[in-house]
Structure formats: structure tokens, C-alpha cells
Amino acid sequence: MGTCNRNCSNKNKLLQGILLGALAGAAISMLDRHTRETTIECAKKGYRQTREIIENPDIVIGQVKETSNKIRSTIESITEDVAVITNQVEAIKDITPQLASVVKETKEVFTEESKEDEHV
């Protein structure tokens, strides 16, 4: 059990080190003016979007429903296409033996005619 406590403590130190390193990296990155301006603009945009969602949830719900309907419609269309293709494959499977039979009969007829022409 002592090992588990030591490992857990080491993992906590590792996590703390990773977080501190990330914070230090972020702070150093903010020294660059372009990075700072871009980050501020992205944060403002995120704030505006979040506020809009909170103030007008019906718009977001409508967009989600619309997207859901489009996805459902696409799935139904794909399902119908797959059914048509499956039916066509089945029809081709049925035609193939018939076609093979017709080709065989045609070959036999030509072979017989060829033999008759040789005898004449």
C-alpha cells in the first residue's frame, strides 16, 4: 500500500508540473502582441456566441432540429439507394445464369452449323 501512496503522490506532482508548464507557456505566448490580440478576439467571439445561445436557445434548438432532419433525410436516401442497388444486384444474379444458358445454346447452334458446313 505504501507504493500506491507514493505513486499517487508522484502522479499528482506530474500533473501539477504539466499544468504549471502549460500556464508558463501560455503566459510567455501572451508576450507576443499578435497572439494576445488573436486570443482576445477569439475569447470575445466565444463569449458573444455563448451569450447568444443563452439568450436565444430557440434558435440553437431550431438549428439542431434542422441539422437532425437533414441527417435523417440523408440516411433515408442512402437506405433507399442501397435497397435499389441490392435489387439490381439480385436481378443481375438472376440474369447471369440465363445469359450463360443463351450463350451456351448459341455456341452449340454455331458449332452444329459449322460441322454441317464442313460435311457439305
Side-chain angles (χ1 to χ4, degrees):
M1 288 214 188
T3 305
C4 181
N5 288 338
R6 233 178 292 143
N7 286 339
C8 292
S9 176
N10 288 338
K11 287 181 184 178
N12 287 337
K13 288 180 184 179
L14 176 63
L15 184 58
Q16 286 175 345
I18 290 172
L19 291 174
L20 287 174
L23 288 172
I28 291 170
S29 296
M30 288 298 141
L31 295 175
D32 179 57
R33 182 178 190 191
H34 178 70
T35 302
R36 193 171 50 248
E37 289 172 352
T38 303
T39 302
I40 290 169
E41 186 57 39
C42 287
K44 286 179 180 179
K45 183 178 178 183
Y47 174 76
R48 284 191 302 268
Q49 289 175 340
T50 303
R51 190 180 66 214
E52 184 177 325
I53 290 170
I54 291 170
E55 291 174 357
N56 302 307
D58 293 338
I59 293 172
V60 176
I61 291 171
Q63 290 173 343
V64 169
K65 285 181 181 179
E66 183 179 329
T67 302
S68 174
N69 289 336
K70 285 180 183 178
I71 291 171
R72 186 178 301 115
S73 174
T74 301
I75 290 171
E76 288 172 0
S77 176
I78 290 171
T79 302
E80 290 171 3
D81 291 346
V82 168
V84 168
I85 291 170
T86 301
N87 289 337
Q88 289 176 345
V89 167
E90 290 300 319
I92 290 171
K93 284 181 182 178
D94 292 340
I95 291 173
T96 303
Q98 295 170 358
L99 182 61
S101 175
V102 169
V103 169
K104 184 177 179 183
E105 289 174 11
T106 304
K107 178 184 172 189
E108 290 173 357
V109 168
F110 279 117
T111 304
E112 289 175 9
E113 286 180 5
S114 165
K115 287 181 183 177
E116 289 177 5
D117 287 344
E118 288 177 3
H119 291 305
V120 174

